[in-house]
Amino acid sequence: MRINAITNWAYGVTVVLTVLSGGAFILSADSATQERRAVEEHLVLDTLAEELALGAEERSDEARLYVMRGDERHLDAFHGKEIEERRREAAIKDARAQGASSAEMAALEEIEQDAEALDKIEVAAINAYRNGDQATAQQMLFGPEHERFQTALLETVTRFRGLTNARTGAALNDARMRSDWFGIVAKTMLALTAALFLGVLYFVLRRRIAMPLMRMTGIVTRLAKQDYAVEVPLDRRRDEIGEMNEAIHIFRTNGLERDRLDAERRLDQQTKDLILQMMHRLQACQTQSELADVVARFAPQIFPNLAGHLYVLNESRTSLATLGSWLDPHQSAASFASGACWGLRRGRPHLSNRGHSDIACQHLDQSNVAGLCVPLTAQGDTIGLLYFEERSDAMAQVETSRLYLELIAENIGLAVANLQLREKLTHLAVRDALTGLFNRRCLDEALNREARDEAGNPLVCMMIDIDHFKRFNDEFGHDAGDVVMQYVAQIIIDTVGEAGSAYRFGGEEFTVLLPGMTEAAGFEFAEQLRTKICTAPLSHRGRILGSVAVSIGVASAPAGGTVPTLLTRADAALLNAKAGGRNMTVSASKLILSDARDRA
């Protein structure tokens, strides 16, 4: 029941009980009034009877004293009592108005008759005395007749008083009982009213209002502080407190939902910020390895429950190799054929074996593992693959973040394509297209850098020329000449390795710079290179081209001269080797000593 209904009912019952209690008090007061009237009536009638008896005795006494003593004073008193007697006679006539019964009125009439009889005897006795007959007067006042009437009067007064006592006593008892009964009823109604008020006060104010409000005060206080972890017990009451409890519960539910949405928004904003940071860093990468490091660093932050690989297609676009990894994925191979991935085949993201509802990619080690493959594309061309592997059943995150994954894949694809294009352009700018060696411009820059930054450090320069190269072009064609130069260049690359750098100087001439090496060590290195080149026969299109021989000139700095003259001195040593019969190595320092001896 609603508190409003309870309050209205309690108010109505309280009003009814109050009215009943007031009516009982009124009836009790009326009974008390009746009781007071009964007492007053009893006192009036009892006083009247007393006065009648006493008045009769006093008048008889005054008459007797007068006839005994002859004192006029007693006669005057006798006549004075007569006036009172007349007043009492009038009171007797008014006794019916006082509520006297018929029996009482009959008794009063007998008293009145006896009083009149006594009065006649006493008046006759006084007249006899005044006529000088004292004996007759005394005989009349003290005789049996007077005594009989006086005794009858006193007995009637006694009987009258008994009647009035009985009647007024009964009326008094009835009035007292009614007054007491109505008083008890009034007090009972008042007690019920007080009990109802206190009960309603306790039940409604304490149990139904105060206690629930006290509980809800703490809950509302915590909710006001946005502490939505507080439990709000559901109150099924259909009243105002129940509605308030339901409203608080709804407010808490809305607060939790708002917190969840805020958390999702913050997480979404954090994800966007991380993606933006990764995009900025991808744009600043200069190599694919740097790009792989950036992806491996930011991918776990964006998707902390997903391991993954970054794959890049090879130049022939037949296979993929791992460029970078994060969070230790172990279900996908480090490299695999491009046809092993359904994502690459379809050209769109592919979720392998999610709930066994789709076919799994062949590059996954287990058929029951869920993995997401997102192709990396740029300008419509596929250049790689972004692979995610579930950890702790987190693929639902991938499904909800598909847009972000595609955005990341798109930006990574563009970044990889830009880096590959940059590498190709750089290769074209600094490499010789035929041999793959650095070009002449790179050689000039390297010599200038050595002269500027490394002028005091040892540096060896080798000038290499293919002997009788024109013969290969004339006998076998220019394609064969190109094969010869590629062959020599590849041996130079393999031999030099990390020890230095190789350049195509021009035509069939090559240059090698060996930092930190003396001229003697450079001479031995040149001999090893010359031996490797001339020991293996060369063929082209089924035709034996024969062995290839080279002449090498070696010069050093700073022991043999300055860096700016290094190339000139090595070229002079090369010319000397060619003039000396070819297929040999000549050191610039020996050439200088030989010239000195010739001058001497």
Side-chain angles (χ1 to χ4, degrees), residues 36 51 70 74 136 146 173 194 214 255 278-279 288 298 309 383 401 421 441 444 447 498 560 565 593 595:
R36 185 171 63 255
E51 288 179 352
H74 294 292
T136 301
H146 186 279
N173 288 332
M214 289 175 63
M278 185 174 71
M279 297 303 104
Q288 294 188 51
F298 280 91
H309 284 299
I383 60 175
S401 304
L421 179 60
R441 183 176 60 186
D444 295 338
L447 289 175
E498 300 295 330
T565 63
L593 292 175
D595 291 341

Side-chain angles (χ1 to χ4, degrees), residues 227-247:
D227 181 10
Y228 299 112
V230 60
E231 292 294 333
V232 181
L234 284 177
D235 195 336
R236 300 297 183 181
R237 297 186 307 181
R238 296 300 180 182
D239 57 11
E240 292 81 355
I241 298 298
E243 292 176 356
M244 187 181 301
N245 179 270
E246 184 178 359

Side-chain angles (χ1 to χ4, degrees), residues 258-275:
R258 185 167 55 253
D259 276 357
R260 185 186 67 81
L261 294 176
D262 288 343
E264 291 181 357
R265 181 183 57 80
R266 289 193 297 270
L267 181 60
D268 184 70
Q269 186 61 44
Q270 181 181 4
T271 301
K272 291 179 179 178
D273 292 341
L274 289 172
I275 293 176

